[in-house]
Each structure stands twice: as structure tokens, then as C-alpha cells.
Amino acid sequence: MKKIALFLSLIFFIQFITAQNDIVCHYFDKEGQTREHTVDFKTLTLHISFDTENEKIAGNVFYTFQPKRKEIYSLELDAPEIDFKSVLLNNKPCKYTTTATSITLLFDQALTWNKEYQLEISYTAQPKKGLYFYGWNDETNRARKQIWTQGQGIDNRYWIPSFDDVSDKLITETYITFKNGYEVISNGNLISKEQKQNDETTWHYKMDEPHVLYLIMIAIGDYAYKDYTSNRGIVSRQYYYPEKPEQVEPTYKYSAKMMDWMEQEFGVNYPWGEIYRNVPVANFLYGAMENTTSTVLTDYYLKNEREAMERDYVGTNAHELTHQWFGDYITEWNSESHWLHESFATYYAKQFKRTVTSENDYQWARYMEMRSAFNADSKNNIPVAHSKAGSARHYPKGSMVIDMLKDVAGGDEQYRKVINSYLKKYGFKHVDTHLFELEFMEVLGLNLNWFFDQWIKKGGFPEYEVNYNVKKDSLNINVAQIQKQNETVGLFKMPIDIDVYYTDETNSHYTEWIERDSTKITKYLNPNKEIDFIVFDTGNKVYNKLNFVRPTKEVLHQALYAQNMIDQYEALKELENVEIKEKRKTLLELYNTASFYILKENVIKQLANDNSKKSKELITKALQDTDFRVRRRVLYEVKGITEQNKPLYMAMLKDKSYVNIGLALDSLSEHFPNEITEYLTLTEKDANENVNLKITWLKIALQNNDLSKLNELVDFSSNSFEFRTRIAAIRTIDDLELVNKKYIYNLLSALTNFNRALSSTAKKSLLKLAEDENHKNEILDQIKGLTFNKNEQEKIKALLDKLK
């Protein structure tokens, strides 16, 4: 017992000393460790065909592999719910056993590490993940007929028996047999198309370099394409739906330019030959997926010029193209280092967009990244380099961290040199956070252990409390770090830019390292100058929460005169808690001088319901602003429509933005219900061009007691439409509380869909409907009259369990 007590005392003492020296622990990432494997797979050749009616596949997969250990007697592969027909090792039958999730090959004699072996597996499957059939069983024959795959993280195992993990790379080849009349797309170069006698064609694709199994893809559908060629001759082949050529340019603009930009920025040529593709699909589970040479994207991104105003594909296109280097060319060893994929893709997409938009757009993108990171970090302190970090840290926070890393590494040129070396050293190989950190030492002789430790391996962010005073000719700025420190969050060390603005319209710039819990900065002042205001963390470059104690007058002046848009916006946010009479004049002036729509939007937010004459005049002016986003902000913020402004709202029924039309239609119909028929007439043509506006249009018509429109609205909830349209229709119908038998049928169809967002929305609606006994009985009756496949049965059973 004395030994135990002594041991515990020693542990306590070590913990105490650790705390006193501000050495903070790291999270242990159990789920993020590298998976062991006993063989190195060299090549994969897949022959696959499809039964679209039953949503099944038949495959033969051929591997060459070499044991990594001296002797192995078995080999386990991931293979959930796959039915095996035969297994051959070096063309001879091989014994095997199966479980619900795997197949284990049993060898009569040990396989040794100095030999290469051939493995052939013949199988069938009805995948519930990884490979998806869309539209083949649509009874209306209106849905697009497609097959597509989504392998990341570990879903390709559902249709390819495999070692499905990021830690192994292999060269892949696909032979895809499918009925004529469809485009068939996979990874790498198209080697051949062989016509079969049964109205089918076998498409043969081959990769020249190794990549990870989750990046294998197939997409099949009715497509046309347009090629964009870079200066070096790389073809970006952009697929689209043949009946909508007007969507090509708004969707895929800058494709050649971003290829040129990335090759120059990285100093490494596109690593995958001379072809890169974007393939849109319906009901895709995410925004897009960076499969090697062939990105799959949601067809929601296919936009005409007017639709692309709201959200274009440029940023996502750049994000997925970046992955061809960061993620596909160099690949994480394990999910603990997943940020080396997503943070870099987010960062470089942001930097490319900066070249085709503006510096203000870039600053706003960084601010939005910070907001997303705050939301995640308010819940827990999981670091960026962690398998459970989540999207907000792997994407926006990590991108922001790379911005800061570039700054502390000495700027663009030095950072770019490190990246160039890193990519060349680890091309077609695996990396982790430690290897990336070491590259700064090897290339620049720069030890950034402190940076990686506080921003990547640990969590949280600094909270700065700042105030200042002037004594004689000295400016004294006091900075305290007030964040709560614990086992995984400590003090932060960062260079902070500070700008001092003077009343004579000049300014001074300083960079100070803040790393202690309390720091005093003293600067000499020219006695002939008077401070107007001070900006701490100029340009909002450091991820932090700031409490800067100063007079309101200084905040007002920062909003008006700060040189960086984002510094103006930060001041505006502070002013939201200030009485209107103190800020009105400044806000009115700022609207007229604002360089960016975000500033105008915030001014509108603060003055929207101010009764002063000048504020009302500003709102009238904003309704006519040249930027559709500014006009929209009025629709969101202003309560009520005056007779004076009514013509301007009416004018927005013909706005270029479909979203603005919908908002104006909603608002006018609410305030002037006797004129709804006129509003519907004015907007009908635009509504027929845009499905989201059409759903709003139908909602207004139904609220106006035109029940003849119900079937049309219900139709949008059917499986003839992609999941976002269906979700919008379901939510609208639920709000209207209008139900018919067809709608319940459509909900059951949505419930059994593979898209989780759609399925979960339908489930909530069905459970809500079932609170009414009549609706519940109708749901149960329809279930009895329908047939479901194995995957659909699971979701129906889950619903029935809830209804009991």
C-alpha cells in the first residue's frame, strides 16, 4: 500500500509540475490510428455488370499482392453482405470463411514476403452503401436513370471485396459492362469501348499510378460534355445533362484557369496524366467527391446564369481539384491526419477564388470560417488533427490555420517552397501531420513545433481582453489571454498586427508577439498626433475572440475608416448593441461609402425598423441597389411594406434573382392578400423556370385556396425529383397541413431512399402524420400493399417500431 501511495503521489506531483510549466496534454485519438495490414496490394482489376431492375451487381475482382510479413496463413478482406461465387489464388481454388462484414482467405501453405500472388474473387451484391442506383424503378419514367458510387470513408467495400483503408495504395483498372446509350465513366484513361452482341458495351478504364481504394469510382448516365483545356494541355472534361447546355458555362467557368493556377501554385504538375473530369449525379450524398481523375458532384450545382448567382460551383470545383494533389496524390496515413486533405482543399479553393473575385470576398470567407470554427469549439476542445474533429475543424478551421501557418512561416514565397518540397517528396505516398511539420525544418530550418502543438494537435482558441491608455507620449496597450485553460487548451503564441489610426488620417502599423497570459505593449507617440482608433488583429488574421474595451466613438470611426473591410465589419458587429441614436449618422454614411455588400447588409439590419426619415430613405434606396444580395437583405429585415415602397417590392417580382422573387412574392401576398392572383400571374413564367420558386408559388396559390395546385406540389415530393426538391416540397406540404394518399406514398418512397437527408425528413413527417389515427391507418395500409427490397425493409421496420 505504501508503494501505491508513493506512486500516486509521484503522479500527482508530475501533473502539478506539468500544469505549472504550461505543458498541455494532447487528445489520444483511438479511432484515428493507422490500420494494420499484412499484404501490400499492387493492382486491382475489376470486371463489373449491373442488374438495374433489382439493383444488384455481378463482379470479378483480380488483385496482385505481396505479403508484408515473412509468412502469412490467412488474409481478411472487408466485404459486408457480399455473396461469393468463387475464390482463386494463383488460379487455384482457395478456402475461405465469411462473416456479415468480411471474408477470410485460408491458405494451405504460408505465403511469403518475397513472392507476388494473384487473387480472383467472383461475387454478387445488392449494395446498401458505396454504389447507388437512381431512377431505374421510377414508375413515371421521369427521373434520370443513373448509377454512381461514393467510396469515402469506407463504403467501396460494399461493392468491391477489398482491404478498404487509406493506408494502402494500388493501381486500378475497371471493365464496366452496361447497356448502350449511356455514358460510362471511371478513373483514369479510357482505353477502349467494346461493343457486345446483346446491346451492351464494355468500357475499359485504367490508372497509371497508384491511389487509395476509396477513390475508385463509377458513374453511368445520360450525359454530354464540354472540354476545357489548360495551357499545358490538360483536359478538364465537364459533364452536363444534354438538354441543359445553358448550365455549362455558369457551372464550370474558370476550369482551365484553376488547373493552370494550381500547377503554378504547387510547383507540381497535375499528377494523373492529361484528363480530369467532373460528373454530376442526382441525389448525391454530399456536395462533391474528389475521386482520382473523376470528381462526382451533386447535380444541384448545375446552374444557369440566374441560378448561379446564389451559389455557383467555382469554390467546390477548386476544392475538389485541389484534392487531386492533397488527398489523392499524397494521402493521409490515417483519419487522425484527415485535415491534410480537407483543410488544404478548403484553403486553396479560398485562395483561388480570391484571384477571380476580390480581396473583400477573401476576407469574408475567412470570417465565415471563423464563425464555423467557433460553433464547433464552443462544444468541445477536440483538435484539428483528430478523427473526430468534424467538418467545421477539418474544413474551415483547418483552412484558417493554414492561413496563419503561412504567415508565421514567413509569407507566400517561403510557405510555397515548403509545399513544393512536401508534394514532390511524398507523391503517390502517405503522409501524416508529423511529416508535414518536419518539412518546415528540412526546407526552411524553421521549428514550428509550437504552432502545430497549439493549433493542430490541441484545441480551442485564444480569447484576448484588450484595453489601452495614453500617458504623455506613450501608448500602452494591455493584452490578457482569458480563455479557460485545461488539459488540452493552454496559452497561445501568435504575432498580432495592430494598426493605430490618427485623427489626421495617417496610421502606424505594428506586429507584436502575444504569448503570455498578460502582455503590455508600449509605443512612442508623436506628440502632434491624436489617436482616432486602434485596430487589434488587423484584417482578422488570427483565430481569436476579442473583447476590446474602448469608447463607442472609436468603434464608429473604425466602421467608417478602417482600411480592411473585415475590420469595418467587426466594428459594425460591435455597434449592434449600441443605441440607434448614437450610431444612425455613421450607419447612413457608411452605406454610401461601403466597398462590399456585407457592410451594406449589416447597415440595413441595424436600420431596418428605425423610424427616422433618413433611415426609411436608405431602405428605399437599398431596395434599388445594384447588388441583388443587398436588395434581399431588405426583404429579410424590414417588417411590413409601406404604400410608398410597395412599387419597389412589386418590381422585385421581376428580379433577376429567383430567391428574391420568392421572398417578394411571400411578403406581398402576406401584406396584400387581395392581390395574390395578380402576384401569381406576374411570377408564373419565372416559377416555371426554377423549381424552388415554383414550390413557393404553389404554396402561395394553395394558401389562396386554389386546391387544384395540391397534386402539382405533391408531385415534387415524388421520386421523380432529386432529394433537395423533395425535401422542400415535403416541408411546404407539412406547413400547409394538406395531405392525400399520394403524398403518403411519396413519403414512404422518400423514407426508403438511400439519401439520409431525404430519408430522415420523410420519417419525421410520417411520424407527425401518424399522430392522427386516420393518417396512421393509411400509412400502415400502404406499407402492407407495397414490396421492399432488403435495404428498404430495414427502414420500414424502424418506422413500424416507432408507430407501435
Side-chain angles (χ1 to χ4, degrees), residues 419-613:
I419 292 300
N420 177 256
S421 173
Y422 171 66
L423 286 168
K424 288 179 177 177
K425 182 180 295 185
Y426 297 109
F428 307 115
K429 297 177 183 177
H430 288 86
V431 292
D432 62 14
T433 301
H434 179 64
L435 293 176
F436 178 56
E437 179 184 339
L438 279 180
E439 207 63 23
F440 288 87
M441 177 60 76
E442 292 197 17
V443 175
L444 300 177
L446 194 60
N447 187 336
L448 293 179
N449 175 264
W450 61 272
F451 182 93
F452 280 78
D453 193 56
Q454 71 186 21
W455 285 116
I456 297 168
K457 300 174 185 177
K458 296 174 186 172
F461 53 87
E463 294 186 48
Y464 298 122
E465 187 171 82
V466 179
N467 60 67
Y468 78 92
N469 60 71
V470 176
K471 293 184 178 179
K472 296 184 179 180
D473 295 337
S474 295
L475 167 64
N476 303 300
I477 303 174
N478 303 300
V479 184
Q481 292 196 49
I482 61 172
Q483 67 271 14
K484 184 179 180 181
Q485 299 180 52
N486 53 37
E487 292 83 357
T488 57
V489 178
L491 293 172
F492 287 79
K493 168 186 174 182
M494 283 300 290
I496 302 291
D497 289 338
I498 301 171
D499 279 358
V500 180
Y501 287 77
Y502 304 103
T503 55
D504 64 358
E505 300 183 1
T506 62
N507 63 76
S508 300
H509 178 81
Y510 308 101
T511 300
E512 299 291 331
W513 283 86
I514 307 296
E515 56 185 296
R516 298 186 298 275
D517 57 358
S518 179
T519 302
K520 182 177 180 180
I521 302 164
T522 300
K523 296 296 178 183
Y524 171 76
L525 284 178
N526 185 324
N528 297 319
K529 288 182 178 287
E530 180 183 352
I531 292 176
D532 191 12
F533 62 93
I534 296 174
V535 177
F536 183 87
D537 184 27
T538 306
N540 204 29
K541 292 180 180 179
V542 175
Y543 175 38
N544 74 90
K545 187 170 285 187
L546 177 62
N547 179 19
F548 191 179
V549 181
R550 55 197 170 145
T552 299
K553 178 183 176 182
E554 295 189 18
V555 183
L556 291 167
H557 284 205
Q558 179 176 325
L560 274 178
Y561 305 123
Q563 293 177 354
N564 286 287
M565 180 280 298
I566 204 63
D567 295 333
Q568 292 181 280
Y569 182 79
E570 289 278 25
L572 275 175
K573 292 296 291 181
E574 284 190 60
L575 291 174
E576 288 180 6
N577 297 318
V578 172
E579 289 290 330
I580 190 70
K581 62 183 180 181
E582 293 185 59
K583 63 184 178 182
R584 182 186 293 121
K585 181 180 177 181
T586 296
L587 295 176
L588 292 168
E589 183 178 349
L590 178 58
Y591 184 91
N592 293 317
T593 60
S595 60
F596 196 51
Y597 75 96
I598 287 295
L599 300 179
K600 290 186 173 184
E601 284 192 347
N602 188 272
V603 170
I604 292 167
K605 177 183 177 181
Q606 296 194 51
L607 294 180
N609 299 293
D610 178 30
N611 289 321
S612 79
K613 180 182 177 181

Side-chain angles (χ1 to χ4, degrees), residues 298-431:
T298 173
D299 62 8
Y300 179 74
Y301 276 123
L302 290 176
K303 306 286 191 183
N304 62 34
E305 184 181 0
R306 290 178 69 181
E307 292 166 336
M309 292 166 56
E310 309 298 342
R311 184 181 182 185
D312 60 35
Y313 184 54
V314 174
T316 305
N317 196 358
H319 180 105
E320 305 308 331
L321 182 57
T322 301
H323 273 309
Q324 299 300 311
W325 286 266
F326 294 88
D328 298 4
Y329 179 55
I330 57 170
T331 306
E332 65 192 47
W333 267 115
N334 50 48
S335 56
E336 187 177 69
S337 294
H338 189 56
W339 77 282
L340 294 173
H341 294 195
E342 300 301 346
S343 300
F344 281 77
T346 307
Y347 169 79
Y348 282 111
K350 178 179 65 182
Q351 294 294 340
F352 173 76
K353 285 199 73 175
R354 189 182 194 176
T355 70
V356 296
T357 54
S358 71
E359 176 64 20
N360 287 338
D361 285 284
Y362 166 74
Q363 290 180 16
W364 182 244
R366 280 178 47 84
Y367 181 83
M368 294 303 290
E369 287 179 340
M370 192 176 297
R371 276 182 46 174
S372 295
F374 278 141
N375 288 337
D377 285 342
S378 65
K379 297 179 177 69
N380 55 58
N381 293 320
I382 295 176
V384 169
H386 196 284
S387 63
K388 303 298 183 185
S391 295
R393 296 189 183 94
H394 282 150
Y395 292 75
K397 183 176 180 180
S399 170
M400 211 169 18
V401 166
I402 296 171
D403 265 314
M404 295 188 290
L405 174 61
K406 178 186 66 179
D407 289 342
V408 300
D412 285 333
E413 195 171 354
Q414 292 198 163
Y415 170 80
R416 194 178 290 120
K417 185 177 182 182
V418 173
I419 292 300
N420 177 256
S421 173
Y422 171 66
L423 286 168
K424 288 179 177 177
K425 182 180 295 185
Y426 297 109
F428 307 115
K429 297 177 183 177
H430 288 86
V431 292

Side-chain angles (χ1 to χ4, degrees), residues 34 66 68 139 171 224 371 377 388 401 411 417 499 675 717:
T34 305
Q66 189 169 346
K68 298 175 76 69
E139 63 273 13
I171 295 174
R371 276 182 46 174
D377 285 342
K388 303 298 183 185
V401 166
K417 185 177 182 182
D499 279 358
E675 300 173 29
S717 69

Side-chain angles (χ1 to χ4, degrees), residues 1-40:
M1 289 298 292
K2 288 183 178 179
K3 290 182 178 179
I4 293 174
L6 181 62
F7 175 76
L8 292 174
S9 298
L10 182 60
I11 292 296
F12 176 80
F13 177 74
I14 292 172
Q15 289 177 334
F16 176 79
I17 293 298
T18 297
Q20 295 301 300
N21 285 276
D22 199 32
I23 300 173
V24 184
C25 301
H26 295 153
Y27 270 90
F28 174 66
D29 190 358
K30 181 180 179 181
E31 302 299 322
Q33 303 308 299
T34 305
R35 181 181 174 187
E36 290 188 355
H37 53 289
T38 59
V39 307
D40 177 18

Side-chain angles (χ1 to χ4, degrees), residues 125-156:
Q126 188 179 58
K128 67 179 179 181
K129 293 181 180 180
L131 185 147
Y132 302 90
F133 294 82
Y134 178 76
W136 299 97
N137 295 313
D138 173 30
E139 63 273 13
T140 69
N141 203 34
R142 290 180 296 163
R144 298 186 185 280
K145 291 177 169 55
Q146 297 177 342
I147 298 171
W148 47 264
T149 61
Q150 168 52 35
Q152 194 179 41
I154 51 172
D155 285 355
N156 273 350

